């Protein structure tokens, strides 16, 4: 029926998944106030909505990359889409915040398969000299999804309620699974399977779990103990991976390439700064400024729209210009955007917020594709699944780390009280401190990016 080459078909499939996926993340953020009111959930419980999704993604990202390299990247990608549809359905049917949180955790595992493997599929079928452009198009589609998600989430919530945000993903995923079955021929995996490192997965899972629980319970003694235990687990994981004959990820990959290791580190700090943005602005616009969900979604999407426009251009430039230069320039532009947001107040205008988001979008669009291109170009083709998962893992751990600190700030200022206009002073203090924290992360990212060396 269609005469598209395999590269184009793979790119269309992955890009479609990249557009659908953000509905499970950014779209839900806009629905949080309505969900919280309907399920009578406290601020502390609601703060776990994005965090549990991220925690699950972190736990399953590396194992999914390893399994995809062994058994097939297309197979794992399709399974992730199906699991995402199931989790969305169960979230929509849930009658308590506890069940929503449980299925958000499952949805995070599905996200690890979708986002962790998609880039590996594209890299598997794309020539090296066109990889930057392909990754740029893929990144643009993620940002298109992020652009549409807040607005779509706001409209769906306003017209049909928060459950519609979850229901809306199901038919889209089913259509994509049919397209994979009919049009995406072939499979991409290693010729020889390597054994799976179950102990490595257990240790890494403990690291992620202790990190999240520990950071959210600081400065209590239990919080310090769990945070310390997470650091010990991370050290054990690194030691175990360096000695294992069947590691989830070769630690030597980080030592073999300075570009690989520093690009991942830059990604960690950039995404630690950015993930909580939609969550915080959704609360600011609806509780402090009194905006409707639809209006809040339209403002928040400005960042993603500018990212979507910039990413393909940055991808094309990344095939010709050193990624270090483009990515570092992107970091500096994001730095300016977060400086403006760190000065946010109750009286800040919509134009001020929109201008800040526009700068963030341009900077992130300029940063992400060259940075991803540098990471994927620094490894052997036999480790593309692990490299893709590592890339997404650095992003997701950054998101998780940043959101865990947000949980700590929310707990400090708001405790077990609910989000409301009556708590606007405490909420404004939370938002202000969070944006100052993001500013510090981007400062670190800018310095590390500049030091990564030539790709």
């Amino acid at each position: 029926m269609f005469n598209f080459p395999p590269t184009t078909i793979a790119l269309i499939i992955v890009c479609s998944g990249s557009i659908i996926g953000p509905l499970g993340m950014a779209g839900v953020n806009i629905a949080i106030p309505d969900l919280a009111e309907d399920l009578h959930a406290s601020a502390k419980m609601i703060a776990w909505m994005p965090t549990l999704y991220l925690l699950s993604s972190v736990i399953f990202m590396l194992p999914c990359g390893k399994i995809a390299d062994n058994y097939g990247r297309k197979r794992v990608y399709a399974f992730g889409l199906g699991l995402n549809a199931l989790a969305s359905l169960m979230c929509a049917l849930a009658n308590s915040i506890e069940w929503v949180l449980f299925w958000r955790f499952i949805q995070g595992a599905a996200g690890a398969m979708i986002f962790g493997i998609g880039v590996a599929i594209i890299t598997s079928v794309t020539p090296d000299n066109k990889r930057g452009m392909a990754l740029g198009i893929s990144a643009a589609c993620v940002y298109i999804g992020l652009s549409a998600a807040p607005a779509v989430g706001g409209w769906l919530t306003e017209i049909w309620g928060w459950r519609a945000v979850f229901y809306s993903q199901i038919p889209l995923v089913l259509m994509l699974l049919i397209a994979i079955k009919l049009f995406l021929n072939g499979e991409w995996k290693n010729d020889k399977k390597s054994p799976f490192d179950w102990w490595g997965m257990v240790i890494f899972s403990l690291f992620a779990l202790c990190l999240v629980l520990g950071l959210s319970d600081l400065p209590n003694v239990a919080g310090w103990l769990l945070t310390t235990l997470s650091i010990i687990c991370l050290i054990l994981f690194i030691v175990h991976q360096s000695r294992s004959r069947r590691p989830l990820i070769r630690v030597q990959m980080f030592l073999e390439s300075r570009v690989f290791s520093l690009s991942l580190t830059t990604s960690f700090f950039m995404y630690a700064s950015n993930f909580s943005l939609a969550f915080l602005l959704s609360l600011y616009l609806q509780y402090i400024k009194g905006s409707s969900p639809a209006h809040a979604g339209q403002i928040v999407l400005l960042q993603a729209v500018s990212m979507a426009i910039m990413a393909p251009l940055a991808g094309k430039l990344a095939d010709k210009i050193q990624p270090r230069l483009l990515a570092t320039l992107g970091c500096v532009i994001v730095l300016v955007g977060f400086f403006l947001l760190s000065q946010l107040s109750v009286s800040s205008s919509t134009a001020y917020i929109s201008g800040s988001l526009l700068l963030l979008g341009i900077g992130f669009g300029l940063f992400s594709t060259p940075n991803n291109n540098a990471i994927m170009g620094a490894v052997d083709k036999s480790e593309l699944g692990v490299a893709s998962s590592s890339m997404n893992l650095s992003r997701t751990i950054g998101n998780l780390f940043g959101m865990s600190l947000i949980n700590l700030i929310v707990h400090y200022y708001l405790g077990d009280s609910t989000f409301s206009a009556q708590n606007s002073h405490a909420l404004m203090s939370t938002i202000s401190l969070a944006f100052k924290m993001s500013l510090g992360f981007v400062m670190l990212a800018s310095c590390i990016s500049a030091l990564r060396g030539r790709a």
Side-chain angles (χ1 to χ4, degrees):
M1 180 185 269
F2 297 103
N3 243 345
F4 295 134
T7 302
T8 304
I9 293 174
L11 189 59
I12 291 172
I13 294 291
V14 172
C15 286
S16 300
S18 298
I19 293 173
I20 295 170
L23 282 174
M25 298 185 295
V28 174
N29 285 333
I30 297 298
I32 280 177
D34 274 44
L35 183 152
E37 183 179 355
D38 186 34
L39 299 182
H40 309 290
S42 68
K44 189 175 180 181
M45 292 291 281
I46 286 297
W48 280 99
M49 281 278 291
T51 307
L52 275 178
Y53 183 98
L54 290 173
L55 173 61
S56 181
S57 293
V58 166
I59 289 172
F60 291 103
M61 193 73 74
L62 278 178
C64 287
K66 191 71 173 182
I67 291 169
D69 282 342
N70 277 342
Y71 296 99
R73 291 159 194 159
K74 183 178 77 172
R75 182 178 300 173
V76 174
Y77 184 79
F79 184 81
L81 287 169
L83 186 61
N84 181 66
L86 173 63
S88 297
L89 175 63
M90 299 310 294
C91 281
L93 295 173
N95 288 316
S96 69
I97 186 61
E98 290 80 9
W99 274 113
V100 172
L101 292 175
F102 172 79
W103 285 105
R104 283 293 281 173
F105 183 84
I106 302 299
Q107 198 169 38
M113 299 177 202
I114 297 169
F115 293 108
I117 308 305
V119 172
I121 292 175
I122 291 175
T123 308
S124 298
V125 300
T126 306
D128 290 349
N129 63 336
K130 296 181 179 179
R131 185 179 59 236
M133 186 62 181
L135 292 177
I137 294 171
S138 175
C141 288
V142 173
Y143 301 143
I144 289 170
L146 291 171
S147 302
V152 171
W155 293 327
L156 289 172
T157 302
E158 207 162 292
I159 298 170
W160 289 298
W162 64 268
R163 296 178 194 274
V165 179
F166 290 105
Y167 279 128
S168 66
Q169 300 173 57
I170 299 168
L172 299 174
V173 170
L174 292 178
M175 286 190 290
L176 185 55
L177 286 172
I178 293 170
I180 291 173
K181 180 69 175 176
L182 294 178
F183 305 118
L184 188 58
N185 299 318
E187 182 57 281
W188 301 274
K189 59 182 179 180
N190 292 341
D191 296 329
K192 187 178 180 181
K193 295 177 183 176
S194 57
F196 190 79
D197 182 12
W198 291 104
W199 277 114
M201 179 180 174
V202 170
I203 297 170
F204 191 80
S205 299
L206 285 173
F207 152 70
L209 183 62
C210 292
L211 177 67
V212 173
L213 295 176
L215 290 176
S216 65
D217 201 30
L218 290 175
N220 297 329
V221 174
W224 285 113
L225 289 174
L226 285 168
T227 303
T228 303
L229 183 57
S230 75
I231 296 170
I232 294 171
C233 287
L234 179 60
I235 295 170
L236 284 175
F237 176 75
I238 294 170
V239 172
H240 174 74
Q241 293 297 286
S242 64
R243 294 178 179 177
S244 176
R245 294 181 179 178
R246 49 179 188 181
L248 287 174
I249 181 171
R250 287 193 311 110
V251 177
Q252 289 78 7
M253 291 171 68
F254 296 88
L255 302 176
E256 290 166 357
S257 174
R258 178 180 172 186
V259 171
F260 182 75
S261 57
L262 292 189
S263 295
L264 288 174
T265 307
T266 304
S267 179
F268 169 84
F269 283 111
M270 286 296 284
Y271 286 100
S273 74
N274 188 65
F275 181 76
S276 61
L277 182 64
F279 174 74
L280 293 168
L281 282 181
S282 175
L283 299 177
Y284 171 81
L285 291 167
Q286 293 183 66
Y287 286 119
I288 294 177
K289 303 295 284 186
S291 300
S292 67
H295 184 245
Q298 289 165 12
I299 294 174
V300 172
L301 69 78
L302 276 174
Q303 181 198 12
V305 168
S306 53
M307 289 163 78
I309 294 170
M310 182 58 65
L313 175 61
K316 192 170 184 178
L317 290 173
D319 287 326
K320 301 175 182 178
I321 301 174
Q322 274 296 307
R324 171 173 55 96
L325 302 177
L326 293 172
T328 305
L329 176 60
C331 290
V332 172
I333 295 173
V334 171
L335 185 68
V336 176
F338 269 119
F339 174 76
L340 294 176
L341 284 179
S342 70
Q343 309 303 308
L344 201 66
S345 68
V346 175
S347 59
S348 295
S349 66
T350 300
Y352 183 88
I353 298 168
S354 300
S356 304
L357 290 174
L358 193 63
L359 283 173
L360 288 176
I362 292 171
F364 257 97
L366 197 58
F367 159 78
S368 62
T369 307
N371 195 67
N372 293 349
N373 194 22
I375 292 168
M376 297 305 291
V379 300
D380 187 82
K381 286 190 177 293
S382 65
E383 295 179 308
L384 286 177
V386 171
S388 175
S389 293
S390 299
M391 182 182 76
N392 283 279
L393 186 63
S394 68
R395 170 181 59 81
T396 310
I397 291 182
N399 290 340
L400 181 62
F401 182 72
M403 198 62 215
S404 296
L405 292 178
I406 296 299
N407 283 353
L408 173 63
I409 297 170
V410 168
H411 183 251
Y412 177 78
Y413 282 110
L414 290 159
D416 291 323
S417 62
T418 57
F419 288 124
S420 66
Q422 287 71 36
N423 290 329
S424 60
H425 179 73
L427 183 57
M428 193 66 240
S429 298
T430 300
I431 292 168
S432 179
L433 180 57
F435 285 143
K436 287 180 173 65
M437 179 187 74
S438 293
L439 181 65
F441 285 152
V442 180
M443 286 180 180
L444 282 171
S446 301
C447 296
I448 295 168
S449 179
L451 295 172
R452 79 177 76 187
R454 292 179 61 87

